[in-house]
Amino acid sequence: MKQSIILLHGLFGGLSNWKDVISHFEEKFEIHAPIIPIYDEHKENILDYFVNDLAEYINRHKLQNVILVGNSLGGHVAIIYAHKYPENVNKLVLTGSSGLYENYTIGSFPRRHDYSYIQKQVANTFYDLKCVTKELVDEVFEILSDNKKCIKIIRAAKITQRSYTTDILPEIDLPVLLIWGIEDNITPPNVAEEFKLLLPNAKLVFLSECGHAPMMERPIQFNEVLDEFLKG
């Protein structure tokens, strides 16, 4: 039976963010990439809601001893889940994770109907501007043009910025891999260093010429580092 890897995307992310990771690991692992329900209606604390949704997903699919891989918001969700259910997590991988500090410039998106402005905001996520495809910018622009979705995005961003994991990180005694872009403008390298300091059993690997989404921008290097960690 294959071990399960769960891939958790960021605030504007989705399944496509993980396509290179999925293609690299799908023969050896059972891959899951659930969508974080950012646009759901609920009355709970939003992070609790996301974590509970992940717990329900894992229970529904009868997954055990999982490997959690989270980018940005997905990393934040993975941290809280791993702390709450350590018996069900084998390893934790964080890349550009929120939970300590995020330099979101989204605010209330005063210029969210300005395509060139949104294009610049998307570009801030990456070092290599080749990653800033029209398809990606169109996707973000479409989300922000929807009033309800925009409000949900802003709410999620503000809550994650105020929800620090400082107190729980020292209690996560699992093997943790931190894969970080050295040019990450949203969760800068010093954030990765702080994660490493607070987590009892963490390894940190920086990828050069890389921004906030290493699995998209440097997929070959990302997969090599992840592969080595999973074999260890």
Side-chain angles (χ1 to χ4, degrees), residues 90-209:
N90 179 259
K91 292 182 177 180
L92 178 62
V93 181
L94 306 175
T95 181
S97 178
S98 61
L100 290 178
Y101 168 79
E102 311 93 68
N103 182 29
Y104 285 132
T105 57
I106 53 178
S108 58
F109 291 107
R111 295 170 60 191
R112 64 190 176 95
H113 297 295
D114 181 340
Y115 189 89
S116 62
Y117 171 77
I118 298 303
Q119 188 174 34
K120 289 177 182 177
Q121 297 304 307
V122 174
N124 190 51
T125 304
F126 301 97
Y127 172 83
D128 185 353
L129 295 184
K130 291 178 183 177
C131 294
V132 188
T133 62
K134 185 178 185 301
E135 181 182 15
L136 183 60
V137 177
D138 286 349
E139 186 177 338
V140 174
F141 186 76
E142 183 179 351
I143 290 170
L144 296 179
S145 296
D146 183 311
N147 288 337
K148 289 184 178 179
K149 287 186 176 181
C150 184
I151 290 170
K152 296 286 188 184
I153 286 283
I154 293 170
R155 182 179 173 221
K158 288 182 176 179
I159 289 175
T160 56
Q161 283 180 305
R162 296 195 300 264
S163 301
Y164 302 110
T165 59
T166 311
D167 292 342
I168 67 173
L169 290 173
E171 299 173 2
I172 300 176
D173 193 18
L174 298 165
V176 180
L177 173 64
L178 305 164
I179 309 178
W180 232 262
I182 200 74
E183 280 83 22
D184 189 336
N185 295 317
I186 297 172
T187 50
N190 63 295
V191 176
E193 296 281 6
E194 188 172 354
F195 269 118
K196 186 177 186 301
L197 183 66
L198 291 170
L199 288 159
N201 188 14
K203 175 183 178 181
L204 171 59
V205 177
F206 282 117
L207 301 185
S208 61
E209 298 185 343

Side-chain angles (χ1 to χ4, degrees), residues 205-225:
V205 177
F206 282 117
L207 301 185
S208 61
E209 298 185 343
C210 182
H212 188 57
M215 70 286 183
M216 297 174 66
E217 196 163 9
R218 293 288 178 265
I220 295 174
Q221 295 93 326
F222 183 93
N223 288 335
E224 286 175 350
V225 173

